[in-house]
Amino acid sequence: MTSWRLTLVLTFSCLLSATAGYWFGFREGLFFGVAADFLPRGVIAAGELNALRAGNIKPVTAMLECEIDNGLIFGHDLFMHPLRNIVGPVWDFNFYPEYEQYAVRLANYRKNHPSPMKPDAFDKVPADREQYRKSYKELSVGVREDIGKMKSMVERYAEKQ
């Protein structure tokens, strides 16, 4: 076999292998990631239901507000991801219009009910946590970024009234 034929066969084999690995590895891995996420979410739900049954709505309200914030934050990441238009059709994910409707509902809620997340939540390090000063600084930056993402989603998707 000549060298160009060998190169062609190796190149085709590598491309076929990479394509199969990408398709089956990531696509199947996505299912397992989502499936694995539901176990701890179920545990959290059980705790929240126990709190509701005990008449304590504060932790339930806080958790649900957090879920709304997370929906807006990760929705921003999803809609702004540079590979969204490539990955969606390859994996047969239809991000639109259903996901935009979700974004509108969350943005409308957040527009009418401000997030309990405060930009200065991690600015002050408690005296007994001085060893975590660097972590607090990173969390502070992250909170401000997340609030910016939420504001961006509200500006983009909340219905004008």
Side-chain angles (χ1 to χ4, degrees), residues 23-41 91 93:
W23 183 263
F24 292 110
F26 284 109
R27 187 175 175 138
E28 294 303 314
L30 177 67
F31 164 76
F32 286 113
V34 171
D37 186 46
F38 278 101
L39 283 169
R41 288 178 70 173
W91 286 350
F93 289 153

Side-chain angles (χ1 to χ4, degrees), residues 38-49:
F38 278 101
L39 283 169
R41 288 178 70 173
V43 171
I44 292 169
E48 300 304 316
L49 286 168

Side-chain angles (χ1 to χ4, degrees), residues 44-139:
I44 292 169
E48 300 304 316
L49 286 168
N50 286 333
L52 281 175
R53 286 186 183 101
N56 187 4
I57 66 166
K58 241 183 173 180
V60 178
T61 304
M63 180 60 70
L64 292 174
E65 290 287 350
C66 183
E67 288 294 324
I68 291 166
D69 287 348
N70 284 336
L72 289 168
I73 293 163
F74 285 103
H76 179 274
D77 292 343
L78 176 69
F79 292 143
M80 300 305 161
H81 197 282
L83 296 179
R84 183 193 79 231
N85 294 324
I86 296 169
V87 173
V90 169
W91 286 350
D92 196 29
F93 289 153
N94 182 11
F95 292 125
Y96 299 104
E98 294 89 3
Y99 277 73
E100 279 197 326
Q101 291 172 357
Y102 297 151
V104 168
R105 289 179 68 182
L106 292 177
N108 284 332
Y109 178 87
R110 190 47 75 221
K111 181 178 180 181
N112 295 317
H113 304 91
S115 173
M117 187 184 302
K118 303 296 178 209
D120 61 350
F122 294 99
D123 286 355
K124 294 184 181 178
V125 181
D128 62 335
R129 300 214 176 251
E130 272 302 316
Q131 69 270 28
Y132 300 115
R133 179 168 292 283
K134 183 179 176 186
S135 297
Y136 269 71
K137 185 172 178 82
E138 291 170 5
L139 287 169

